[in-house]
Amino acid sequence: MTTAPPRGADTPRQRLTGPGPFGRLGVWSATHARTVFLLWVVVVAVLGAFAPKVESALSGAGWQANGSQSVAVRQIAQDHFGGNASSAIQVVVHADKPVTDPSVQKVIGQAESIVRGDSRVAAVVPPQPGGTVSPDGHTAIVLAGAKADPNEMVRAADDLKEPLAALSGHGVTVNATGASVLWSDFNTANHSAMIHSEILSWPVTLIILVLAFGSLVAAGLPLLLTMAGLGASAGSLVLLTHLTPVSIWAMNFAMMFALALGIDYALFMVMRFRGARQGGARTTVQAVAETMDTAGKAVALSGATVLVSLSAVMLVPSPAFRSMAGGIMLAVAFVLAATLTLLPAVLAKLGHRIDAAALPWAKVGEHRSPRFAAWGERLWRRPVAYGAGALVVLLALAAPVIGLRTAMPSINVLPGDASARAGYTAVQNAFGPGAPGTLQIAVPSASAPQAAQTAQHTPGIATVLPPQAAADHSGWTMIQAVPKVDPSDPALSQTVHTLRTGLPHGSLVGGAAVENLDLQHLLTQKTPLVIGVVLALGFLLLLIALQAPLVAALGTAASLLSTGAAFGVARLLFQDGHGAGLLGFTPQGFLDGWAPVFFFAMIFAIAMDYTVFLLASAKEHYERTRDVKDAMVGAMAHSGRVIFAAAAVMVAVFFTFAISGPLPPKEMGIVLGVAVLLDAALVRLVLLPVLLRLTGHAAWWTPSWLRRVLPKVTFSHG
């Protein structure tokens, strides 16, 4: 027995006489199926034709803080110092005999010829005694200056590192290193990990879908939908590169998100369609209309929430971040478009054949899950016990977030045999721990002596090379300063800060290591803004969708719990190293710097995805009956199985990244996988239903003034 709705609650609306806007879109797609199919064939064929070029077209760099000192120094070095910028390629030649030996000199000459033959290389500087020849005389560095932008230099590294490595032999080893080679090696390792993960995830995904749908035909629809969205988005990313550089990571994340969300959306739609057809009271077109007016509307709002959450990442002025967010948003937009047009057309054509090739034990027509209905009844009877248990677990897992540290990844994320890592190690062994992170100080020539003096007396600086004036008389002088510590050592940040404070006016400090520090500083600075914008926009969309401020606030707040718990687990694994041996990685002592901003937006987007599914179903029941128990239990019965199955697919997809490849994809897989697992198991299927039970009618109450402001959105179908 439930209490009456409070004063000010919505009164039952008059039943609709026909389908709403989404229902009409579904009817049009169902009755114009050939047109829809033809349009999608054209879209996928035209855009898909560009998809094979995606790996070579997308860029490998862009991890920088636009407007920072370090980016300015890189440009000055490229324009006025023969390309001796952070994006230059260093060829490290190490021999078991002095580098002055004729046989070693021959190899050095061959290395110079190889890099000089690449049009993207500017000046080639041979090894200089006292500078790029080691004190023991066994290691020399050939500098290949950057003539192209950082993205093109990564592609140059792709082409040059293998011919250079082929020069090794007879006691001489040759390795290309530097920031461009690091990103080249990292992208290669990351691509291999992604392919491996995709191969692992597709069979697991198909098995889960077959078990969830109980029918081979129905299980194939999400994969069809995802492939259409992926093909179109991959091709569109290639076209987008003609306007702006797009990070290769954009495609990696887009593939993962498109697969996960495409399956989510198709699950929700197909389950609703089968429920609408049950009993044979509706025609196929009517069933499509009902599906679109209810599940289709929820999918559209969910997709909007995902797009809005990811759009907040655009507030970070870094090309890599913006292009990654843009790539995911593009993939989600295509998957969303396919879900709302192509899927209704396919459902209309299949009709009763949606249940073809059913498993013998499956109840294929069943839309309401008796098991989740029983679970909902149990939560209704003992809300405090179950809610408190879920809350305690989430808070306990979230507690370690308090000590979370972040930094940009070190060289150790690369495989041991990677060219950049081998060259990096050789440079450290020959020139000292800070040599791979040599700082570049660009200073007006008049202030060069004072700047050199300041650098020499700065704590944390081991060596300062003689100032070098620009040959083009641009008025700039470059000073190279070698720090005492490894580029990933936290102490380097203080050294850079001290330098920037003490150098003469107009001096700029840069270098590859400083670019990482500037990006980390930017991310730390922007994280509160991004999180605040994501939460505010998420709440606003839920408010518009559900027309009730309390339930919108509860849905938004609940999403924070699973996010915090996921980052708490990430700290225990990746910072403290618990379970590192099991997962096969060496902890860095911190979480990679992009995780708080980027992963937060991704986790929140996924969490809100489930929130919309659950609360839209609850709203649909509440609009029909004005019974809060029916709203809560009915939502569990009708959406619980979908949330459970969709979460299982997402966890399977994300966790495959945890068992392959370099450390950053492992972080991504673990953080996102844990977040989805906790969100589905403890938040959406326990805590949020309990909150609906405890708040009762108040959850759905809307002040009259707010009702007049908000657009009318309903989930019941007439």
Side-chain angles (χ1 to χ4, degrees):
M1 185 171 179
T2 61
T3 58
R7 187 176 179 181
D10 289 337
T11 54
R13 291 183 176 87
Q14 186 178 354
R15 201 144 173 86
L16 298 172
T17 56
F22 284 92
R24 290 195 293 273
L25 175 61
V27 169
W28 185 89
S29 296
T31 54
H32 296 79
R34 286 189 179 182
T35 303
V36 174
F37 292 153
L38 181 61
L39 286 172
W40 271 101
V41 166
V42 170
V43 168
V44 174
V46 171
L47 292 177
F50 295 96
K53 302 177 183 177
V54 70
E55 189 180 344
S56 59
L58 301 192
S59 60
W63 297 88
Q64 65 189 45
N66 285 353
S68 64
Q69 281 193 33
S70 56
V71 171
V73 170
R74 186 181 68 207
Q75 194 62 52
I76 291 169
Q78 185 170 327
D79 294 343
H80 306 296
F81 293 91
N84 184 16
S86 61
S87 51
I89 295 172
Q90 300 166 24
V91 184
V92 184
V93 180
H94 176 73
D96 57 6
K97 59 188 75 125
V99 294
T100 52
D101 187 278
S103 62
V104 183
Q105 284 293 307
K106 181 182 178 182
V107 172
I108 292 174
Q110 290 172 327
E112 291 175 10
S113 297
I114 289 173
V115 294
R116 195 174 281 115
D118 193 300
S119 61
R120 293 161 293 195
V121 171
V124 176
V125 182
Q128 304 293 313
T132 49
V133 175
S134 64
D136 67 0
H138 286 263
T139 304
I141 300 174
V142 176
L143 181 70
K147 192 176 183 179
D149 64 51
N151 293 310
E152 278 301 316
M153 292 310 297
V154 173
R155 295 190 182 102
D158 292 338
D159 298 335
L160 292 171
K161 61 187 181 184
E162 289 185 12
L164 289 168
L167 298 176
S168 300
H170 307 291
V172 180
T173 57
V174 181
N175 288 292
T177 191
S180 296
V181 186
L182 183 150
W183 284 114
S184 171
D185 285 342
F186 182 74
N187 291 337
T188 300
N190 185 54
H191 178 69
S192 300
M194 289 287 182
I195 296 297
H196 186 209
S197 299
E198 290 290 329
I199 292 171
L200 288 174
S201 64
W202 281 88
V204 175
T205 297
L206 187 57
I207 291 169
I208 294 172
L209 288 175
V210 170
L211 293 175
F213 282 114
S215 158
L216 291 175
V217 172
L221 287 182
L223 300 181
L224 170 71
L225 194 73
T226 303
M227 285 190 287
L230 270 177
S233 59
S236 60
L237 283 174
V238 174
L239 295 179
L240 189 61
T241 59
H242 293 287
L243 299 176
T244 182
V246 178
S247 171
I248 187 68
W249 278 62
M251 187 58 204
N252 295 335
F253 282 121
M255 288 174 64
M256 182 180 64
F257 241 62
L259 177 62
L261 290 181
I263 288 169
D264 265 16
Y265 295 159
L267 265 168
F268 201 51
M269 292 277 287
V270 173
M271 289 286 196
R272 194 70 175 83
F273 175 74
R274 294 164 87 185
R277 284 195 66 259
Q278 193 173 11
R282 299 173 185 82
T283 65
T284 298
V285 173
Q286 288 172 336
V288 169
E290 179 174 329
T291 299
M292 286 292 288
D293 259 343
T294 52
K297 189 180 297 179
V299 163
L301 289 166
S302 169
T305 306
V306 171
L307 293 173
V308 162
S309 297
L310 291 168
S311 68
V313 178
M314 296 289 186
L315 295 170
V316 179
S318 174
F321 277 78
R322 287 178 170 173
S323 64
M324 285 191 298
I328 298 175
M329 291 168 69
L330 203 57
V332 171
F334 275 111
V335 167
L336 196 58
T339 305
L340 298 177
T341 56
L342 179 60
L343 185 57
V346 173
L347 292 175
K349 280 294 181 184
L350 285 175
H352 66 88
R353 293 189 296 275
I354 188 75
D355 296 327
L359 300 177
W361 62 84
K363 298 179 181 179
V364 294
E366 186 178 56
H367 175 48
R368 181 182 173 92
S369 167
R371 289 183 180 178
F372 280 97
W375 176 244
E377 292 280 359
R378 182 176 297 180
L379 292 177
W380 182 266
R381 289 193 300 270
R382 301 185 62 192
V384 175
Y386 285 105
L391 187 61
V392 166
V393 172
L394 289 167
L395 290 176
L397 291 175
V401 169
I402 295 171
L404 183 67
R405 294 192 302 272
T406 60
M408 295 304 289
S410 69
I411 193 72
N412 294 328
V413 301
L414 291 178
D417 59 350
S419 174
R421 186 168 178 177
Y424 182 102
T425 303
V427 169
Q428 278 194 323
N429 292 338
F431 296 92
T438 296
L439 309 181
Q440 293 184 308
I441 304 170
V443 59
S445 296
S447 304
Q450 182 186 350
Q453 195 74 4
T454 301
Q456 285 172 348
H457 292 89
T458 298
I461 296 295
T463 308
V464 176
L465 301 181
Q468 176 192 358
D472 60 2
H473 307 291
S474 61
W476 287 104
T477 292
M478 184 69 72
I479 300 171
Q480 310 260 21
V482 180
K484 293 179 180 178
V485 296
D486 182 89
S488 61
D489 193 309
L492 182 62
S493 177
Q494 183 57 49
T495 301
V496 172
H497 176 72
T498 303
L499 265 178
R500 284 176 169 170
T501 304
L503 285 169
H505 178 72
S507 302
L508 303 171
V509 181
V514 183
E515 287 182 23
N516 279 344
L517 291 175
D518 284 347
L519 179 55
Q520 178 61 49
H521 176 71
L522 175 70
L523 293 174
T524 303
Q525 197 177 47
K526 294 291 184 181
T527 295
L529 175 64
V530 172
I531 291 174
V533 170
V534 168
L535 291 175
L537 293 177
F539 169 76
L540 185 61
L541 274 173
L542 273 186
L543 180 61
I544 293 170
L546 302 171
Q547 310 277 293
L550 179 57
V551 76
L554 292 175
T556 305
S559 298
L560 275 176
L561 286 170
S562 55
T563 305
F567 278 110
V569 171
R571 182 218 154 157
L572 296 176
L573 284 174
F574 298 108
Q575 181 174 308
D576 300 342
H578 301 294
L582 183 64
L583 291 170
F585 70 90
T586 302
Q588 301 180 92
F590 54 82
L591 192 65
D592 282 331
W594 57 71
V597 169
F598 202 65
F599 290 171
F600 177 85
M602 294 175 75
I603 293 169
F604 193 83
I606 296 168
M608 293 297 275
D609 188 38
Y610 296 139
T611 300
V612 171
F613 287 171
L614 179 70
L615 295 182
S617 183
K619 177 74 169 174
E620 181 184 351
H621 284 79
Y622 188 75
E623 285 176 349
R624 268 203 308 264
T625 65
R626 288 305 188 271
D627 185 324
V628 291
K629 182 177 181 180
D630 181 62
M632 191 272 258
V633 176
M636 294 295 291
H638 287 98
S639 66
R641 183 168 59 178
V642 176
I643 292 173
F644 184 82
V649 170
M650 276 202 181
V651 170
V653 170
F654 293 148
F655 276 0
T656 55
F657 291 90
I659 57 176
S660 60
L663 185 56
K666 286 183 186 292
E667 289 182 347
M668 177 185 67
I670 290 290
V671 174
L672 297 184
V674 168
V676 171
L677 183 63
L678 294 175
D679 191 79
L682 296 180
V683 178
R684 307 307 147 197
L685 297 181
V686 180
L687 192 58
L688 200 51
V690 164
L691 291 173
L692 291 180
R693 161 73 170 92
L694 295 176
T695 53
H697 290 288
W700 306 106
W701 175 75
T702 311
S704 55
W705 65 267
L706 184 60
R707 200 179 314 122
R708 289 192 297 269
V709 173
L710 292 174
K712 297 296 181 186
V713 178
T714 61
F715 286 92
S716 56
H717 173 80

